[in-house]
Amino acid sequence: MKSGPLGSISVQKAIVIIICLLPLVNLARIFVFEQPADPYEVAAHITGETALRLLIITLAITPIRSLTGWKRLGIFRRNLGVLSFCYALCHVFFYMWLEAGFSPAYLIDDLAERRYISAGFAAFVMMTPLAVTSNNFSVRKLGALWRKLHRLMYPLCIAACIHYLWLVRGEDAGPFVYLAIVLALLAARVIGRMRRQGSAARA
Amino acid sequence: MLVKKGDSRIKPSEITSRQAYCSRREIIAGMAGLVAAPFAQGATTSPAPLAGAPWPGSLADEHTPKRKAITYNNFYELGNKKEEPAENKHFYDSKPWKVKIGGLVEKPGEYDVDELIGWGDMQERVYRLRCVEAWSMVIPWFGFPLNSLIDRVQPSGDAKYVAFQTFHPLKLFPDEINTSLPWPYVEGLRMDEARHDLTLLTFGMYGEELLNQNGAPLRIIVPWKYGYKSIKALVAIDFVAEQPPTSWNKQAPHEYGFYSNVNPERDHPRWSQKEERAIGSGFFADKRTTDMFNGYEEEVASLYQGMDLIENH
């Protein structure tokens, strides 16, 4: 295995994973030491926002890689995506536990009544097959289909941002910032693709 | 000393933020307390005690721990995150304080809160506070029916509504707060709602004067309506003929109506109103079932006889 300035790839990956788990440690710290008035709000907010941030970082890897030519960045992409999914899973778990009381009826009612729940649920449903297939075996097995499947990243990122946007009362700039970043990253991809096609056509 | 932000001799980065300044002041006050404990307690630390006769209608439920009730607040003037009002409580001084009473009344004027507090018999009333965000608290409030004040200032027969106003945060601390709502915050009640015995002009909670994050020095508590109707840090009360504008209704009319009665049948686009999380009940407690009019149906249902409460939400 190749060694970089920060050791082998597996060491680098371990470092990335540990950094990404810090918000979860922070959540545990808040639960134990601060005993928040509304544990659900804290749990849902930290897991949800971390999931969204990691999702956006995952989406940003390809444009950053092509912009900087830093090829090695790509090796973290699947780890980051799976970590984002882990936070989304925690997010859904806290919702099902503390908000829905594990009641399917509550979930169904909420999905029908509250559009931000529908948007979040849609994002989570799209995320699941991507997380499940984020391994070398699936990449080999699915071949070209894998790339197609993972284009779900684009709608799912937008759905996740809209989920957040519709949740807040409209007073918070945060969700708009996330949506703007996602749209910029998607635009970067479209522009990149058009350029590649243009140069391919000239060649 | 006055320091203007535009002063060219001082870079903006060198100006101590109000927050840093205030926390430093707290520390200094704390140190002073070590030396002169009885004198240093004043405004910066513990609020003055407030006593009131127990009210027979009080809830028997266990009170929400005081620590939760003073650190988990919706008071956007001091920041729009739950913990921010407590952190930013020093943004304004609740003493001295005057309330301007005007409109269609016999005795308009600017009244000092120290005078107002004597206009009724202080009671301790334990009410449930139900936020539209589907959480609730059980809080012992200290105050007296707003009706006592209304009787004192004698509104004319034309006065059909009462309009309330909070201080204008942009005038008090222009650089510090969010601009998420059109300021100042305004609320209103129909005259019969304002005169209802449950509507409390509130000066304290948990046996002490209100803290700023809870709306010191005086606020309204309307226990059968969502929390945002219970306006904080009152600076003006106006008696008017027409239904007055209310802040959240202006912000999102389809989400927040004028009446805002707690109604488990009328869901909010973001929160089911059928249930509520009881703040302070811990991780494993079930959610509470939300009661019509927040449990005060017997007392207030007659105010809305014949009205469609989904339409008039």
Side-chain angles (χ1 to χ4, degrees), chain A residues 38 99 114 166 169 171, chain B residues 72 133 269-270 277 287:
Chain A
D38 191 343
E99 186 74 350
R114 267 155 285 285
W166 280 345
R169 293 206 219 179
E171 70 277 12
Chain B
Y72 187 80
E133 296 165 346
R270 263 159 290 143
R277 289 194 301 282
K287 292 208 288 184

Side-chain angles (χ1 to χ4, degrees), chain A:
Chain A
M1 219 172 236
K2 262 206 229 165
S3 265
L6 275 167
S8 70
I9 285 170
S10 45
V11 171
Q12 290 173 9
K13 280 189 174 176
I15 292 170
V16 167
I17 290 169
I18 288 167
I19 291 171
C20 291
L21 288 176
L22 289 180
L24 207 58
V25 175
N26 187 39
L27 179 62
R29 181 194 63 81
I30 291 173
F31 278 169
V32 174
F33 295 106
E34 292 183 9
Q35 292 162 8
D38 191 343
Y40 172 64
E41 193 187 43
V42 174
H45 187 83
I46 290 181
T47 54
E49 191 155 28
T50 308
L52 182 59
R53 284 178 179 174
L54 289 173
L55 193 66
I56 291 173
I57 293 171
T58 310
L59 185 67
I61 291 229
T62 301
I64 290 175
R65 196 173 54 172
S66 49
L67 216 64
T68 60
W70 194 14
K71 292 267 189 293
R72 285 169 62 84
L73 221 47
I75 59 168
F76 303 114
R77 193 170 55 178
R78 274 188 281 157
N79 295 89
L80 288 165
V82 171
L83 279 160
S84 170
F85 177 74
C86 290
Y87 277 99
L89 197 63
C90 290
H91 187 64
V92 170
F93 172 74
F94 280 122
Y95 166 80
M96 285 306 294
W97 174 26
L98 296 172
E99 186 74 350
F102 297 115
S103 152
Y106 187 99
L107 173 66
I108 290 164
D109 188 51
D110 234 14
L111 279 171
E113 297 275 330
R114 267 155 285 285
R115 55 182 191 169
Y116 85 94
I117 295 285
S118 327
F121 193 76
F124 183 70
V125 166
M126 286 189 268
M127 218 174 176
T128 307
L130 307 196
V132 171
T133 57
S134 279
N135 48 67
N136 290 334
F137 174 78
S138 301
V139 175
R140 275 197 305 273
K141 193 88 183 161
L142 294 172
L145 187 64
W146 193 91
R147 281 181 156 270
K148 265 192 188 157
L149 179 68
H150 281 249
R151 287 199 191 126
L152 274 177
M153 265 301 273
Y154 315 144
L156 108 78
C157 285
I158 292 176
C161 288
I162 288 176
H163 163 65
Y164 192 14
L165 195 69
W166 280 345
L167 162 70
V168 299
R169 293 206 219 179
E171 70 277 12
D172 203 333
F176 289 101
V177 173
Y178 290 124
L179 184 62
I181 295 172
V182 165
L183 292 176
L185 289 172
L186 294 182
R189 275 167 192 264
V190 172
I191 292 166
R193 184 163 301 167
M194 284 189 330
R195 275 202 189 143
R196 275 199 303 280
Q197 278 168 357
S199 53
R202 275 195 298 277

